[in-house]
């Protein structure tokens, strides 16, 4: 008992001795430092810019690597501006005989992108650059030396060098490296001249365990012009290529890093470019422990950049231009902590230990409230804490697709089209968004979400096959109209008029959790409105993918996040030559329309403007008529942030936005102390309760021990 | 005893081969190498050629167990199973499918798991034994009855409730310790104190009841009556005689789990953000990373067998009548 009390006292004394809030998960010395605190739910698989593609990876690579262009932080619609580039790439079009053309068109045989980078940009300090006379200090470590290296810090010397055009060329070559398996190799092989052949050449040259010096192998589609200029040759015309240039896939990688990381003893210990990135960006990764914490710190060699001086209307009033022209980045360090569960994550945000947060379904009711008119706003407790809410269209679509190869729901027949249109009306996505997405979405009117060129608001943007324009807003057509369409299709009351058998549609999904039953039942009810039986075929993702590849699905649910803000990146999901079954492409519905394909080929090469809008309108009209998808919903991203977090504007395309964030550390410290005062008295109460419970037993024990047997 | 241990160790080999075959069969029934490749290469823009290259690079383009294209012994050795299994027997776990060194990952992640599991086990054992002896001492009284009811109540509550309730009360309402997170070294204590307390409380119900049953069984034996008859105090009877004789069944439960401690606790580590091994296997299953799954199952089997051997040895230490032969 004495030991227990002593331990408890010691614990209390120890806790009292702690500085600041007791529940602060960060070291006390960090309290007033200029640090942004964030989290990650799953460890990033890849940080190598040739491989990394997932959104949880680009959070890191986006801050470290600098492609030649970037998205303007504030302007909408999204606009590309130079980053490491001295100017935007110049684009020239050529015909088959090598004559330069005035612009993109059918005669274009190839396109040249000439890119000039800014001189004087330096890489972050890194051991790969340390020279030893004519050689490099760490490039040829002996086996015993390699055995002594456990992290990059075990190579104590660091150096830097200037960024040159060759580094961008080197990275483009890395996309074809056989050991890297870059996810965009297949796609880029169709555009970058000679990349497919280059990939085969490297495959033959590559020997497992040996470094392949890509400088020794030339790629016809990439040419060095001078120290700071290079050209990329694109087969035909691909105007969307410039968006790819804003992604880390086309960021520079110094050959020295590739050489250093090629040593087998380092690879064995995960000391690779996939784990320790090397860039020129505002931040560098200094701690990489994805089981616990990843830390990025200010790159001392950063070439400097200024906060934008202009934005879209309303940005000035919203305070987004307070820091206009000031040097970036504002913060010194970003700490990402692994947070797998939503409950502790949410509570730490409320305690002030994370600076910003998304909203999970669990915390939605606490965070968001609806007023009498149904308008969404922050809950009272959030407002009391000074938390602010930002909502942004996420540039993504979640749809239900019909397999157009299916004899019942697919094909170009009038019967199948009317059936698809009837189902499109019956599946009430407004209700789905309200029930299952907490209102975080918009019912889709077509394939293009808000924020993408070609999207139209209001009556102009309405899908007339599913909605009517009533009192200035869209209204889903009545179920009676859907029933009439179904009858016209030859299924009155949901039964085949010829056979009398009930119409059954199979719905392939990947639903594994107990919560999924609710939305599956909801889908069944939507089809029941028409008398159609919906048979849910639930499976894991692997089998689902297999079914889609083989064309064995009838109706399915899928989604798409934009790679870049261009309508081509959505419409190509319905392009015939991208059909999943026949061409292993991304067109999961296997929609094939000669008319659509012609329109798509036309619009994909057009610059944004009224002419392109007209073609897009025609394309979307055709798609709405053919209804290969139930258009589903556009998701809306919700973000909460504390009052000390400045300059936050959601940019769904840019991935290098941490440099714009500013933190009022003094205010954060003050709020954390206010919100987290330790409450000690219950400990004393618990000790007392335990003593009261034990005391009678102890007394009884003593009495029994002293009892004399008579 | 040495002969016994050697014999037991020799049994290990066929058991581990069996475990490996079973792991292989189960894993590849659910996940084909194509599935694994798609999982690693991502969902967007993946070509069949990229999938084939990925499989070839990792040797997943070969047959699982029997290679009919080869001749002689190579029919068995040039297979995914053989190539991946043999190295395990020298504890060379190789690389995960996304290129990480599994041995390195395990060596890093085992320490936080141990930092959580060892105090939970030791404190839990002490608390459970004390509580059980208290109930045994006051058997049949209100203390015993209340204790048993308390145990049943504690057993009936979900472990998740203790975690969420504990985080809510101690971290969110009282602000006494961080709700989740971890720091290596001595700073880890403030992150571990709550999960350890929760782990101990969560284990009292079943642990104390079980030990109480063991103690009551022992108390009813003749030697206890003899001890009392010769005038020994109840404290002496319980600690010197009952506890000692009850150690064999207690050790059965405790020693066997000692090697498994470093495999970690999935739920506890996940909720408290402790970077241990508990979630390593589950994450690997989600990612369809067979290399990690295979390594962790193998390691778990080895440790379990080691635990059983240690249990046998410990019997001889606490009960001189037991001989291993």
């Amino acid at each position: 008992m004495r030991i227990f009390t002593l331990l408890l006292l010691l614990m209390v004394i120890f806790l009292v001795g702690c500085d600041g809030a007791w529940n602060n998960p960060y070291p006390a010395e960090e309290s007033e430092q200029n640090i942004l605190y964030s989290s990650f739910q799953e460890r990033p698989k890849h940080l190598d810019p040739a491989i990394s593609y997932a959104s949880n990876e680009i959070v890191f690579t986006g801050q470290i690597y600098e492609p030649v262009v970037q998205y303007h932080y504030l302007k909408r619609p999204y606009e590309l501006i130079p980053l490491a580039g001295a100017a935007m790439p110049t684009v020239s079009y050529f015909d088959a005989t090598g004559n330069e053309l005035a612009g993109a068109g059918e005669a274009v045989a190839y396109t040249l992108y000439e890119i000039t980078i800014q001189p004087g940009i330096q890489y972050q300090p890194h051991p790969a650059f340390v020279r030893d006379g004519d050689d490099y200090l760490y490039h040829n470590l002996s086996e015993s030396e390699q055995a002594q290296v456990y992290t990059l810090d075990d190579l104590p010397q660091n150096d830097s060098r200037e960024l040159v055009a060759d580094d961008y060329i080197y990275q483009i070559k890395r996309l074809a490296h056989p050991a890297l398996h870059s996810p965009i190799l297949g796609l880029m092989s169709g555009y970058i001249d000679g990349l497919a052949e280059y990939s085969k050449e490297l495959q033959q040259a590559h020997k497992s365990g040996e470094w392949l010096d890509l400088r020794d192998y030339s790629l016809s589609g990439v040419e060095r012009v001078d120290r700071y200029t290079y050209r990329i040759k694109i087969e035909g015309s691909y105007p969307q290529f410039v968006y790819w240039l804003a992604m880390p896939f086309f960021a520079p990688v110094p050959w020295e890093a590739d050489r250093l990381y090629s040593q087998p003893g380092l690879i064995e210990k995960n000391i690779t470019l996939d784990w320790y990135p090397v860039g020129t960006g505002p931040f560098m990764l200094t701690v990489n422990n994805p089981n616990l914490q990843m830390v990025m710190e200010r790159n001392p060699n950063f070439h400097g950049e200024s906060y934008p001086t202009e934005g879209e209307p309303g940005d000035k009033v919203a305070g987004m231009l307070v820091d206009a022209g000031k040097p970036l980045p504002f913060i010194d360090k970003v700490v990402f902590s692994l947070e797998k569960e939503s409950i502790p994550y949410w509570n730490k945000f409320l305690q002030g230990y994370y600076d910003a947060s998304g909203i999970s379904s669990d915390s939605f009711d606490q965070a968001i409230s609806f007023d009498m008119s149904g308008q969404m706003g922050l809950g009272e407790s959030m407002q009391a804490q000074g938390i602010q809410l930002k909502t942004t269209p996420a540039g993504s679509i979640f749809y239900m697709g019909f397999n157009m190869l299916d004899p019942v729901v697919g094909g170009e027949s009038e019967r199948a089209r009317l059936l698809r249109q009837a189902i499109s009306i019956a599946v009430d996505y407004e209700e789905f968004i309200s029930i299952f997405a907490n209102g975080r979405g918009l019912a889709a009117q077509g394939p293009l979400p808000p924020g993408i060129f070609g999207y139209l608001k209001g009556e102009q943007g309405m899908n007339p096959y599913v909605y009517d324009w009533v009192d200035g807003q869209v209204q889903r057509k009545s179920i009676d109209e859907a029933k009439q369409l179904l009858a016209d299709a030859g299924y009155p009351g949901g039964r085949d008029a010829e056979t009398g058998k009930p119409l059954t549609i199979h719905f392939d999904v990947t639903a594994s959790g107990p919560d999924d039953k609710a939305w599956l039942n909801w889908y069944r009810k939507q089809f029941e409105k028409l008398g159609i039986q919906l048979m849910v075929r639930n499976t894991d993702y692997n089998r689902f993918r297999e079914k889609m590849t083989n064309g064995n699905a009838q109706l399915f649910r899928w989604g798409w996040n934009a790679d870049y803000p261009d309508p081509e990146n959505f419409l190509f999901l319905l392009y015939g030559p991208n059909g999943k079954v026949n061409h292993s492409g991304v067109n999961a519905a296997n929609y094939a329309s000669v008319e659509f394909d012609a329109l798509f080929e036309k619009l994909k090469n057009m610059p944004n403007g009224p002419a392109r809008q007209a073609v897009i309108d025609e394309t979307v009209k055709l798609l709405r008529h053919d209804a290969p998808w139930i258009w589903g919903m556009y998701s809306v991203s919700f973000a909460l942030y504390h009052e000390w977090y400045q300059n936050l504007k959601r940019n769904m395309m840019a991935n290098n936005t941490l440099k714009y964030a500013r933190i009022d550390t003094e205010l954060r410290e003050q709020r954390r102390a206010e919100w987290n005062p330790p409450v000690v008295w219950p400990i004393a109460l618990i000790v007392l309760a335990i003593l009261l419970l034990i005391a009678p037993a102890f007394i009884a024990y003593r009495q029994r021990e002293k009892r004399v047997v008579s | 005893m040495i002969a016994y241990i050697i014999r037991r160790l020799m049994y290990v080999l066929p058991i581990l081969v069996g475990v490996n075959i079973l792991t292989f069969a189960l894993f590849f029934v659910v996940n084909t190498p194509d599935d694994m490749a798609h999982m690693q290469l991502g969902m967007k823009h993946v070509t069949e050629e990229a999938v084939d290259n990925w499989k070839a690079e990792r040797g997943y383009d070969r047959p699982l167990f029997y290679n009919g294209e080869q001749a002689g012994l190579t029919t068995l050795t040039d297979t995914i199973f053989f190539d991946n299994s043999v190295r395990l027997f020298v504890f060379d776990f190789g690389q995960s499918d996304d290129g990480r060194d599994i041995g390195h990952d395990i060596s890093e992640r085992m320490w936080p798991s141990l930092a959580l599991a060892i105090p939970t086990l030791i404190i839990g054992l002490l608390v459970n034994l004390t509580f059980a002896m208290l109930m045994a001492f006051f058997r049949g009284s209100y203390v015993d009855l209340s204790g048993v009811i308390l145990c049943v109540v504690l057993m009936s509550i979900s472990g998740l409730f203790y975690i969420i309730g504990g985080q809510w009360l101690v971290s969110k309402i009282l602000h006494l310790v961080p709700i989740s997170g971890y720091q290596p070294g001595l700073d880890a204590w403030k992150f571990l104190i709550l999960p350890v307390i929760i782990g101990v409380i969560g284990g009292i119900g079943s642990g104390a009841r079980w030990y109480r049953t063991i103690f009551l069984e022992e108390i009813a034996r003749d030697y206890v009556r003899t001890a009392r008859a010769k005038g020994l105090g109840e404290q002496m009877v319980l600690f010197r005689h009952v506890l000692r004789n009850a150690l064999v069944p207690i050790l059965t439960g405790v020693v066997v789990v000692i090697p498994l401690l470093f495999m970690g606790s999935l739920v506890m580590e996940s909720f408290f953000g402790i970077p241990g091994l508990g979630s390593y296997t589950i994450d690997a299953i989600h990612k369809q990373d067979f290399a990690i799954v295979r390594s962790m199952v193998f390691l778990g089997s080895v440790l379990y067998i080691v635990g059983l051997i240690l249990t046998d040895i410990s019997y001889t230490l606490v009960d001189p009548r037991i001989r291993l032969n």
Side-chain angles (χ1 to χ4, degrees), chain A residues 685-696:
Chain A
L685 204 66
I686 290 167
V687 172
L688 196 67
I690 293 171
L691 288 175
L692 284 174
L693 279 171
I694 293 174

Side-chain angles (χ1 to χ4, degrees), chain A residues 11 14-15 18 21-27 42-47 53 150 178-184 186-187 199-200 203 206 244 267-270 272 274-275 289 291-293 338-341 343-345 347-348 350-351 354 366 540-543 545-546 549 560-563 569 572 584 586 675-680 682-683 693 696-698 700-701 704-705, chain B residues 29-32 34-36 38-50 53-55 57-58 95-102 104-105 108-109 134 136-139 141-143 164 167-169 171-184 187 189-191 193 197 233-236 267 269-276 279-280 283 287-288 292:
Chain A
M11 196 181 88
F14 202 79
L15 285 168
C18 292
W22 295 4
N23 62 355
N24 187 349
Y26 309 115
E42 197 184 331
R43 78 177 196 176
K45 274 199 287 194
H46 302 291
L47 296 176
Y53 203 1
Y150 292 95
L180 293 177
H181 308 290
S182 174
I184 64 161
L187 181 80
S199 163
K200 289 192 179 92
Q203 227 158 15
H206 175 57
W244 286 101
I267 294 171
E268 273 174 23
K269 292 166 194 147
N270 296 337
T272 64
D274 221 12
W275 202 251
N289 180 359
N291 304 323
L292 177 63
Q293 211 170 56
L338 179 66
E339 204 70 76
K340 288 193 167 187
E341 298 297 331
I343 295 173
Y345 165 72
N347 284 320
K348 276 161 94 173
L350 294 181
Q351 290 172 337
Y354 288 130
Q366 191 185 348
D540 61 73
Y541 186 77
N542 293 330
R543 300 291 80 74
R545 189 179 47 75
E546 207 171 274
T549 307
W560 184 260
N561 285 316
D563 288 312
N569 196 232
F572 84 139
S584 304
V586 289
W675 295 343
N676 301 290
V679 184
V680 188
I683 298 180
L693 279 171
F698 185 70
Y701 165 73
R704 193 184 281 195
E705 284 292 281
Chain B
V29 162
V30 183
N31 301 292
T32 64
D34 273 44
D35 297 336
M36 293 157 68
H38 276 281
M39 184 57 84
Q40 292 300 325
L41 295 173
M43 306 296 167
K44 282 181 163 182
H45 308 299
V46 178
T47 61
E48 285 310 306
E49 195 183 350
N53 286 341
W54 186 91
K55 288 192 294 181
E57 177 91 4
R58 284 157 181 78
Q95 290 196 323
S96 66
D97 287 339
D98 57 6
R100 312 272 190 235
D101 184 337
I102 297 171
H104 185 255
D105 272 358
E108 268 193 350
R109 296 178 73 140
L134 192 74
F137 183 80
F138 290 105
R139 59 197 171 278
S141 71
Y142 83 96
V143 177
I164 296 171
Q167 286 184 326
W168 176 79
L169 180 68
S171 300
K172 193 178 176 192
I173 303 297
L174 304 181
H175 308 133
L176 295 178
V177 291
I179 200 160
S180 70
Y182 190 77
Q183 279 169 24
D187 289 335
W189 75 270
K190 70 174 178 177
F191 298 96
I193 193 164
I197 290 172
E234 194 66 12
Q235 195 176 346
M236 190 70 88
V267 179
E269 288 177 7
S270 193
F271 267 85
F272 286 98
I274 294 167
S279 52
Y280 193 47
D283 286 349
K287 288 190 294 178
Q288 293 170 18
I292 297 176

Side-chain angles (χ1 to χ4, degrees), chain A residues 382-566:
Chain A
M382 300 289 113
Q383 289 180 33
Q385 280 194 273
I387 291 169
Q388 292 169 63
L389 169 72
K390 298 244 174 182
T391 62
T392 324
S396 59
I397 184 168
F398 294 93
Y399 61 90
M400 292 173 79
F402 296 102
N403 180 5
M404 296 298 278
L405 301 175
D406 182 81
V408 178
V409 299
E412 293 178 13
S413 70
E414 183 74 357
R415 180 183 163 100
R417 186 178 63 75
L418 291 173
L419 171 63
R420 292 195 297 268
Q421 284 180 355
I423 294 172
S424 299
I425 294 170
V427 182
D428 186 349
Y429 258 94
E430 286 81 1
E431 192 178 280
F432 181 91
I433 292 163
S434 165
I435 297 172
F436 299 106
N438 296 116
R440 285 173 292 178
L442 292 169
Q445 302 292 325
L448 302 179
I452 302 295
F453 183 82
Y455 171 82
L456 293 175
K457 280 184 188 169
E459 192 174 3
Q460 274 186 307
M462 185 188 74
N463 179 359
Y465 297 96
V466 178
Y467 294 91
D468 292 316
W469 189 255
V470 180
D471 297 333
Q473 55 186 356
V474 291
Q475 185 178 308
R476 187 171 285 271
K477 286 181 189 290
S478 71
I479 200 67
D480 291 334
E481 285 183 67
K483 283 179 179 171
Q484 185 56 51
L485 285 170
L486 193 67
D488 294 345
Y491 301 103
R495 286 180 176 271
D496 191 324
E498 288 170 14
T499 63
K501 286 182 181 173
L503 176 61
T504 303
I505 289 177
H506 294 98
F507 181 33
D508 279 282
V509 289
T510 54
S512 51
D515 296 342
D516 295 331
K517 200 177 173 190
W519 61 260
L520 288 174
N521 282 335
W522 181 87
Y523 276 113
R524 280 195 195 97
K525 281 181 187 164
Q526 304 306 301
F527 282 74
E528 274 170 18
K529 288 192 249 174
L530 295 174
I532 298 173
Q533 293 180 7
L534 187 73
M535 297 288 291
V536 175
R537 295 196 297 201
N538 195 356
T539 182
D540 61 73
Y541 186 77
N542 293 330
R543 300 291 80 74
F544 173 73
R545 189 179 47 75
E546 207 171 274
K547 280 184 183 178
M548 298 303 296
T549 307
N550 299 328
N552 292 333
Q554 196 169 30
L555 180 66
F556 58 92
R557 215 170 75 130
W558 223 330
W560 184 260
N561 285 316
D563 288 312
Y564 43 82
D566 191 88

Side-chain angles (χ1 to χ4, degrees), chain A residues 124-131 136-139 152-153 155-159 260-261:
Chain A
Q124 67 178 73
H126 195 275
F129 301 116
V130 180
R131 300 198 72 133
Y136 287 84
L137 188 61
Y138 300 124
H139 284 196
L152 210 55
D153 294 336
L155 303 174
Q157 292 188 49
N158 289 311
D159 205 345
L260 174 83
Y261 291 136

Side-chain angles (χ1 to χ4, degrees), chain A residues 235-410:
Chain A
E235 290 169 7
S237 162
Y238 182 37
Q240 291 75 28
F241 183 69
V242 71
Y243 295 116
W244 286 101
L245 291 178
M247 297 187 202
F249 291 117
F250 289 88
V253 167
W255 71 267
E256 295 93 332
D258 208 26
R259 174 70 189 91
L260 174 83
Y261 291 136
S262 69
Q263 298 174 84
L266 304 190
I267 294 171
E268 273 174 23
K269 292 166 194 147
N270 296 337
I271 302 173
T272 64
L273 201 60
D274 221 12
W275 202 251
Y276 293 99
V278 191
T280 59
F283 296 100
M284 53 186 194
L285 192 66
T286 50
V287 176
N288 185 1
N289 180 359
N291 304 323
L292 177 63
Q293 211 170 56
M294 296 178 74
V295 178
M296 289 195 294
E297 289 181 61
R298 187 191 283 261
N299 172 8
N301 297 340
F302 183 52
H303 54 89
E305 196 185 342
S306 305
Y307 190 88
T309 52
E310 51 183 354
E312 65 176 338
D315 278 346
K316 192 162 189 178
V317 179
M320 294 306 301
L321 290 170
V322 171
D323 290 319
K326 290 183 183 168
L328 300 175
F330 295 117
I331 47 177
D332 297 329
K333 196 170 169 182
V334 192
V335 174
F336 293 90
S337 303
L338 179 66
E339 204 70 76
K340 288 193 167 187
E341 298 297 331
S342 61
I343 295 173
Y345 165 72
W346 175 246
N347 284 320
K348 276 161 94 173
F349 168 69
L350 294 181
Q351 290 172 337
Y353 297 125
Y354 288 130
D355 297 320
S357 167
I359 309 177
S360 70
S361 314
D362 296 335
S363 47
F364 191 84
D365 290 342
Q366 191 185 348
I368 304 295
S369 63
F370 292 87
D371 63 16
M372 297 294 279
S373 62
Q375 285 293 308
M376 205 180 272
L378 271 175
E380 276 179 28
S381 61
M382 300 289 113
Q383 289 180 33
Q385 280 194 273
I387 291 169
Q388 292 169 63
L389 169 72
K390 298 244 174 182
T391 62
T392 324
S396 59
I397 184 168
F398 294 93
Y399 61 90
M400 292 173 79
F402 296 102
N403 180 5
M404 296 298 278
L405 301 175
D406 182 81
V408 178
V409 299

Side-chain angles (χ1 to χ4, degrees), chain A residues 597-612:
Chain A
D597 290 351
L599 287 166
F600 174 77
E601 279 159 20
K602 188 174 173 185
L603 76 86
K604 77 170 192 175
N605 289 324
M606 293 173 80
N608 287 346
R612 196 181 197 205

